[in-house]
Amino acid sequence: MLNLVGILSIKTYRKFPATFFVNGAPSADAYNRWRDHGTAVIGILSSDNNSYGTTGMVYDADVKLSTHSPDSGYNPAAAIIAAANQYWKGSVILLEMQTYADFDCNGSDTEEWLVPIEWDASAKAAIKTATANGRIVVQAAGNGNCDLDLAGFKGEFNPNDTSKDSGAIIVGAGDKLTRNKAIFSTYGSRVDTHSEGDFQIYTTGYGGRYNAEGENLWYTSSFAGTSGASPIVTSAAVSLSSMLWEYHGSIWDPKEMRAILRREGTPQQQGGHIGPRPDLRKQVESMVNRHLQMQSADFDGDGKTDYAIFSAIEWPFGIFTMQQVQRNPIAGGKKGIYRHLQT
């Protein structure tokens, strides 16, 4: 349930599952310029779980690709629409794209004013349509070190203005060990969450780490940017979406998924606002709390009736604020997590 937009192209890695473009192949120029970039993103997400190389964070995900640069020309909105027409509500779309602000948003004279793709009005309209139809959209914040709260953005990234809200999850980049904002990451109150993006990501492509067996078996240990952070966050979103469907037959509303990523995470440290880093332990616990039932039985075998809250999900970490019954639940023959309330 994963659709990648703006990846442009990938190499024919033996590590990758079968993938295909939903809106035609990328242009030759796009392929030649960006194939390592797309290869690296796919590697983070879904490179195969086998005996060599890297393993994707959601390696069982069904992946489709949508290019913003087919032979007909650059068209990010069309690529987003094509992606949104795949799969169903609750699926995740990753936008590996950024665009340029039309003013100096970082105080430099380089004009590298890179910001989220939704600064492009047509792309934002396409994202709004996708999220309104239940697709969870993740987009890179961009590598421009721009402050999205500046007046020049005309309130388009104001998180308190619902009329400006695309519904997407915007991802910044942080330093791996410190969780400080990476020096290049665009930032602001509308940036929801972050992950590492500081040139330490191991993945497929480029060949800086390993290149002895030809281009289609290259690996790198230095992928970076909001392009590297975004697939990590996307993996968290895919995991949460899959678990909710598997255990409860339910789906996340896109803004509900964004809220849990904003709220339940490991806090950012220094620098402009890029939001917390995902913490699946906390986020799965919130998901458990979303579907609770009351059960009663003599759980501890002391001859007294116990009352517990039950959620039908087997969570391997098993660390909760309330006492947890350590044996398999008895009531109704159901498996799950019981939180002891009283005896």
Side-chain angles (χ1 to χ4, degrees):
M1 301 189 300
L2 176 60
N3 208 309
L4 310 182
V5 183
I7 292 296
L8 299 177
S9 53
I10 60 170
K11 301 171 184 176
T12 55
Y13 265 58
R14 291 184 301 180
K15 288 291 300 180
F16 291 163
T19 58
F20 66 96
F21 286 92
V22 302
N23 64 337
S27 67
D29 177 66
Y31 176 79
N32 290 329
R33 291 175 60 196
W34 296 105
R35 65 185 186 271
D36 273 303
H37 182 276
T39 298
V41 172
I42 290 284
I44 293 170
L45 289 160
S46 60
S47 91
D48 284 341
N49 181 21
N50 53 26
S51 61
Y52 65 93
T54 57
T55 300
M57 298 180 74
V58 284
Y59 55 81
D60 279 337
D62 183 19
V63 179
K64 297 181 182 180
L65 310 178
S66 180
T67 179
H68 61 40
S69 293
D71 286 330
S72 57
Y74 178 72
N75 193 333
I80 295 166
I81 292 167
N85 288 334
Q86 306 297 313
Y87 299 122
W88 47 84
K89 291 182 178 180
S91 57
V92 182
I93 300 171
L94 168 60
L95 307 183
E96 280 285 339
M97 301 183 280
Q98 56 187 354
T99 191
Y100 288 91
D102 54 4
F103 69 100
D104 183 353
C105 54
N106 62 15
S108 74
D109 57 3
T110 63
E111 297 188 6
E112 292 296 310
W113 306 325
L114 294 165
V115 297
I117 190 62
E118 69 171 57
W119 178 238
D120 178 291
S122 62
K124 188 168 190 175
I127 294 168
K128 280 188 171 183
T129 298
T131 57
N133 284 284
R135 275 59 173 177
I136 297 164
V137 177
V138 180
Q139 63 176 315
N143 299 328
N145 190 32
C146 287
D147 181 356
L148 299 179
D149 294 325
L150 291 175
F153 288 111
K154 304 171 185 175
E156 288 295 326
F157 296 103
N158 181 353
N160 300 314
D161 186 343
T162 57
S163 70
K164 305 293 187 182
D165 186 6
S166 68
I169 299 161
I170 298 182
V171 180
D175 294 336
K176 179 177 182 178
L177 298 180
T178 66
R179 300 193 309 279
N180 295 338
K181 185 187 87 68
I183 58 173
F184 53 80
S185 179
T186 287
Y187 60 97
S189 56
R190 178 62 182 83
V191 180
D192 302 300
T193 182
H194 85 275
S195 190
E196 66 173 276
D198 59 343
F199 303 93
Q200 299 188 64
I201 299 172
Y202 283 70
T203 186
T204 44
Y206 294 100
R209 183 69 180 181
Y210 181 82
N211 57 21
E213 297 181 74
E215 187 175 3
N216 283 339
L217 281 174
W218 282 1
Y219 295 91
T220 181
S221 58
S222 58
F223 192 52
T226 54
S227 289
S230 294
I232 297 173
V233 171
T234 298
S235 296
V238 170
S239 298
L240 289 167
S241 183
S242 298
M243 292 177 74
L244 188 62
W245 177 258
E246 174 70 19
Y247 287 102
H248 298 295
S250 184
I251 60 174
W252 298 95
D253 178 83
K255 292 181 181 179
E256 184 184 16
M257 176 70 79
R258 183 177 65 186
I260 197 173
L261 290 171
R262 282 177 176 173
R263 184 180 68 247
E264 305 288 353
T266 305
Q268 172 202 347
Q269 296 301 305
Q270 299 178 10
H273 183 269
I274 53 172
R277 187 170 294 182
D279 184 334
L280 279 176
R281 288 174 175 86
K282 293 179 182 178
Q283 287 150 359
V284 170
E285 184 173 0
S286 288
M287 184 181 73
V288 169
N289 290 337
R290 192 178 187 272
H291 290 272
L292 298 176
Q293 305 169 37
M294 179 66 76
Q295 300 286 344
S296 62
D298 180 10
F299 297 116
D300 53 12
D302 64 356
K304 299 178 181 179
T305 299
D306 302 316
Y307 298 92
I309 292 176
F310 168 79
S311 180
I313 180 171
E314 296 180 69
W315 176 231
F317 300 103
I319 301 172
F320 293 97
T321 56
M322 290 181 284
Q323 180 183 347
Q324 183 184 139
V325 176
Q326 297 299 317
R327 69 188 71 181
N328 282 336
I330 299 170
K334 298 179 180 179
K335 293 183 178 180
I337 292 168
Y338 280 82
R339 303 188 194 185
H340 200 219
L341 293 183
Q342 73 178 69
T343 54

